[in-house]
């Protein structure tokens, strides 16, 4: 019989939700106040960068006080879980074992730290209830799926010591807002070695896994300009040549002269200065994704998958099952084992962010409370005793 207190169902639910709310509020506050975000990007000839760095534009009732140690707090929380960059294997949440190439073929052995930038680009205000720019800090229940996605990206950057940037982008006058991700990824590549641009509904399901491990796994060396996941194998996802599109909701871009040229051509694609017919994708689905897949990528080596000719393509197409989709879309062959993209259920981004936090906290809480040994355990073990009336007695020999 347990001697621990028995909680009502509402109380138990509160105990589960509180850690998530606590970390979420920490991240929301740190996202706007942390010193690492008080920098401005270089001036751009095309649409100008607007980064939220002014504390006066933040929530009016934020918790005051410095958050300079937020990164240290998050890193300490996840430290027992972070996978070494050269770990030979990693088991995904669905139980699949991924194996790195032989040690002699690994590209990265140490963290790139701040040289990696995790990037969000968005033209929407996100000032409504549950938004990251709301006049009041959202509660967990009110948090929007988009806010959950942004926060998951910020959390991932904090865990691994990467840079995080959120670009509040202006819109083009002549094309869909989706095109803004192209120019701002290009601009950030002038400052960082690697830029990972993510739509809000693209989330790392295992935030303990460093990007460098994935770069090793996908054999993304310095010859690769960009890597993106293939879309599901369906007719609607094929480009004008009949090949599968790559999905621009998750882009790994590496700085180089060729990469700058490619992003310039991509940003100018709808103007048809280089690619005739690209104007079609100004406002037609899949916008910048179709422009890239049908036009830009064919200026370089075809987007070969890692299974066909690894290391020979400047544009790497990643397997859909690993870097696209969600488990609920396994019938399409895209479950998002390493990167989940929630185009099949954007509302699930909030669940994914919850999992990011609770999958880290759960083992730590259990270890601390129930498996910490006599000195640190919260458990009072009376199983060697016997109860008689109002007395707790030693069991007779």
């Amino acid at each position: 019989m347990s001697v621990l207190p028995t909680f009502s169902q509402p109380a138990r639910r509160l105990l589960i939700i509180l850690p998530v709310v606590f970390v979420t509020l920490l991240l929301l506050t740190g996202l706007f106040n942390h010193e690492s975000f008080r920098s401005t990007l270089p001036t751009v000839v095309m649409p100008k960068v607007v980064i939220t760095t002014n504390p006066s534009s933040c929530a009016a009732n934020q918790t005051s006080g410095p958050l300079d140690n937020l990164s240290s707090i998050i890193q300490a929380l996840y430290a027992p879980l972070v996978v070494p960059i050269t770990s030979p294997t990693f088991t995904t949440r669905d139980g699949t074992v991924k194996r790195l190439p032989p040690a002699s073929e690994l590209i990265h052995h140490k963290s790139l730290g701040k040289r990696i930038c995790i990037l969000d680009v968005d033209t929407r205000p996100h000032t409504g209830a549950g938004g990251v720019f709301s006049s009041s800090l959202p509660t967990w229940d009110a948090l929007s799926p988009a806010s959950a996605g942004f926060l998951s990206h910020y959390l991932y950057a904090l865990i691994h010591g990467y840079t995080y940037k959120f670009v509040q982008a202006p819109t083009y006058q002549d094309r869909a807002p989706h095109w803004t991700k192209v120019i701002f990824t290009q601009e950030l590549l002038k400052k960082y070695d690697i830029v990972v641009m993510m739509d809000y509904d693209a989330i790392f399901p295992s935030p303990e896994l460093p990007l460098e491990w994935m770069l090793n796994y996908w054999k993304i060396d310095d010859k690769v300009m960009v890597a993106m996941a293939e879309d599901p194998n369906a007719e609607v996802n094929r480009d004008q040549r009949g090949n599968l599109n790559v999905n621009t909701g998750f882009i790994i871009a590496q700085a180089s002269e060729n990469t700058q040229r490619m992003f310039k051509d991509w940003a100018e694609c709808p103007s048809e200065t280089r690619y005739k017919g690209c104007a079609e994708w100004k406002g037609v689905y899949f916008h910048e994704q179709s422009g890239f897949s049908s036009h830009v990528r064919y200026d370089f080596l075809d987007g070969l998958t890692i299974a066909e000719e690894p290391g020979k393509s400047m544009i790497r197409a990643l397997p859909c099952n690993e870097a696209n989709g969600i488990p609920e879309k396994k019938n399409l062959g895209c479950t998002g084992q390493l990167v989940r993209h929630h185009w099949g259920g954007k509302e699930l981004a909030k669940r994914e962010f919850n999992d990011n936090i609770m999958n880290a906290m759960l083992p730590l809480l259990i270890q601390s409370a129930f498996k910490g040994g006599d000195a640190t355990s919260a458990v009072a073990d009376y199983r060697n005793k016997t109860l008689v009336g109002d007395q707790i007695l030693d069991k007779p020999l």
Side-chain angles (χ1 to χ4, degrees), residues 100-349:
L100 286 186
S104 60
E105 298 178 14
L106 297 183
I107 301 159
H108 298 284
H109 296 82
K110 296 181 180 180
S111 173
L112 297 177
K114 296 297 182 182
R115 292 154 60 191
I116 294 175
C117 179
I118 308 298
L119 173 64
D120 281 314
V121 180
D122 211 291
T123 62
R124 293 164 290 189
H126 298 289
T127 54
V132 289
F133 297 108
S134 172
S135 59
S136 59
L137 289 176
T139 63
W140 173 252
D141 288 341
L143 193 72
S144 70
S147 296
F150 299 145
L151 288 167
S152 77
H153 304 162
Y154 179 50
L155 173 66
Y156 185 73
L158 289 180
I159 292 170
H160 300 288
Y162 305 148
T163 299
Y164 173 82
K165 293 292 182 185
F166 185 105
V167 172
Q168 291 181 295
T171 57
Y172 282 101
Q173 294 182 352
D174 66 342
R175 67 191 74 172
H178 309 71
W179 282 93
T180 58
K181 70 175 70 171
V182 180
I183 183 174
F184 289 119
T185 302
Q186 177 195 16
E187 186 61 28
L188 270 292
L189 282 169
K190 297 174 184 177
K191 186 175 181 180
Y192 300 99
D193 292 352
I194 297 175
V195 174
V196 181
M197 201 299 306
M198 305 181 74
D199 286 355
Y200 82 78
D201 59 341
I203 297 177
F204 295 105
S206 302
E208 70 274 15
L209 188 66
L211 182 71
E212 296 91 343
W213 192 97
M214 287 181 268
L215 297 177
N216 283 332
Y217 175 72
W218 285 320
K219 301 181 181 179
I220 298 176
D221 60 17
D222 58 6
K223 299 180 184 64
V224 178
M225 297 185 300
V226 291
M228 310 176 206
E230 288 184 333
D231 261 342
N233 188 4
E235 192 61 31
V236 69
N237 293 326
R238 296 195 175 275
D239 67 15
Q240 293 178 340
R241 302 191 188 188
N243 296 317
L244 275 177
N245 288 338
V246 288
N247 193 294
T248 57
F250 171 68
I251 302 172
I252 300 174
Q254 300 199 105
S256 72
E257 291 184 9
N258 281 333
T259 309
Q260 282 294 319
R261 179 211 133 177
M262 187 203 71
F263 272 92
K264 180 180 184 296
D265 291 344
W266 189 5
E268 295 175 349
C269 188
S271 303
E272 298 195 352
T273 54
R274 186 177 183 88
Y275 306 107
K276 297 301 180 184
C278 190
E280 174 185 356
W281 308 114
K282 283 184 177 181
V284 175
Y285 211 60
F286 297 103
H287 311 109
E288 85 298 337
Q289 182 169 299
S290 294
F292 183 87
S293 294
S294 287
H295 298 282
V296 180
R297 65 171 165 175
Y298 291 111
D299 260 1
F300 301 89
L301 294 176
D302 287 346
L304 303 175
T305 66
I306 189 171
E308 292 171 341
E309 292 188 52
K312 293 187 178 181
S313 176
M314 301 171 77
I315 299 173
R316 179 65 51 76
L318 306 175
C320 192
N321 198 43
E322 293 180 342
N324 202 355
I326 52 177
E328 287 79 1
K329 296 297 179 180
K330 63 181 179 181
N331 61 305
L332 300 176
C334 304
T335 62
Q337 293 173 326
L338 300 178
V339 181
R340 290 184 179 172
H341 194 177
H342 295 75
W343 38 257
K346 292 181 181 291
E347 72 283 354
L348 298 177

Side-chain angles (χ1 to χ4, degrees), residues 39 44 51 126 157 309 340 374 379:
S39 61
V44 192
I51 300 240
H126 298 289
E309 292 188 52
R340 290 184 179 172
D374 294 340
V379 177

Side-chain angles (χ1 to χ4, degrees), residues 347-382:
E347 72 283 354
L348 298 177
K350 186 173 177 179
R351 180 193 70 182
E352 200 69 50
F353 178 46
N354 178 82
D355 290 349
N356 279 181
I357 297 173
M358 293 311 299
N359 283 335
M361 294 198 68
L362 181 62
L364 297 178
L365 290 171
I366 292 177
Q367 184 69 29
S368 174
F370 304 111
K371 299 181 183 294
D374 294 340
T376 59
S377 176
V379 177
D381 189 352
Y382 284 83

